[in-house]
Amino acid sequence: MRSLLRTPSVHDPELLRDVALVCLASGVVGVSFGAIAVAGGLPVWVPVVMSLVVYAGSAQFSAVGILLAGGGPFAAAATGLLLNTRTAAFSLAVADVIGRGRATRLLGAHLVTDETVAFALAQPDPARRRAAFWISGLGLYAAWNLCVLGGALAGGALGDTATYGLDAAFPAVLVALVLPAVRGDAGVRRAALTGAAVALAVTPLVPVGVPVLLALAGLLVVRRRSA
């Protein structure tokens, strides 16, 4: 971990600015998640422990929604697992970035999210990709869990943050992160457009979160072009 902090990427003001913005957006969503879970009747420890152990925003929201609707823990866990299967593909994309040690790979796998993968793959060389992954991963993990705790302690006093449009901050920042890659690479652009089309087409037909998983079909376009 010390070697990561000595790489030039740590002193890259653009990287640190982008990580800070995503942490802010993630924190807003985390506060909302904690508040909604407790306001719905769950004890404070449930969203807090879930955030530490599961650490997956969409899966956590879905699981809590099922629990609050009267569903059992097995249904909630199964839904969370389904929504999180996309991280398997993400892990393959950054397998060489995380590191080789067993403890490092275990921790790194826990930090694999849409955002950390986007940060890592946007960097031009292996050293910067590794630093970007760990800086964003640790920063986002800390921000998410602290804000979930704050939201859970506040309970229903905050209300639904979606009322103020703050829920849009998180996807907006993520779009800003991936735009440079989409603009600069025709293959990435084709894959993104195909994936978006698939996701939009199946959205009315499948549960929330599944369209994102099916959007990975866009990768087939790149594979066929390179074959």
Side-chain angles (χ1 to χ4, degrees):
M1 293 295 293
R2 291 182 180 177
S3 61
L4 294 174
L5 299 179
R6 292 174 182 171
T7 59
S9 293
V10 180
H11 305 291
D12 184 344
E14 293 186 0
L15 172 64
L16 296 179
R17 179 201 62 199
D18 291 344
V19 170
L21 288 173
V22 177
C23 285
L24 177 62
S26 178
V28 170
V29 180
V31 169
S32 177
F33 170 73
I36 290 171
V38 173
L42 296 176
V44 171
W45 67 266
V46 171
V48 172
V49 172
M50 185 183 293
S51 295
L52 289 169
V53 177
V54 178
Y55 184 50
S58 59
Q60 290 180 227
F61 271 104
S62 299
V64 165
I66 290 174
L67 291 174
L68 294 181
F74 291 106
T79 302
L81 286 173
L82 175 63
L83 295 179
N84 249 21
T85 50
R86 71 184 190 281
T87 58
F90 294 162
S91 298
L92 293 175
V94 294
D96 59 334
V97 173
I98 294 176
R100 297 185 178 181
R102 181 173 298 180
T104 300
R105 295 182 72 84
L106 181 62
L107 176 59
H110 192 54
L111 300 179
V112 171
T113 63
D114 308 61
E115 301 76 39
T116 56
V117 172
F119 272 119
L121 298 184
Q123 304 305 312
D125 59 76
R128 294 173 70 87
R129 283 195 290 272
R130 182 168 299 175
F133 174 84
W134 284 103
I135 293 169
S136 61
L138 294 173
L140 283 165
Y141 185 76
W144 174 259
N145 283 282
L146 287 173
C147 290
V148 168
L149 174 60
L153 292 176
L158 294 176
D160 187 359
T161 56
T163 303
Y164 310 101
L166 295 178
D167 56 321
F170 193 67
V173 172
L174 185 58
V175 168
L177 283 174
V178 301
L179 272 180
V182 172
R183 290 175 177 173
D185 190 305
V188 173
R189 189 159 53 248
R190 286 192 298 269
L193 291 174
T194 303
V198 171
L200 287 173
V202 302
T203 293
L205 308 174
V206 298
V208 175
V210 177
V212 176
L213 176 62
L214 297 179
L216 292 173
L219 296 175
L220 297 176
V221 176
V222 178
R223 179 170 294 182
R224 287 179 180 177
R225 289 274 182 170
S226 60

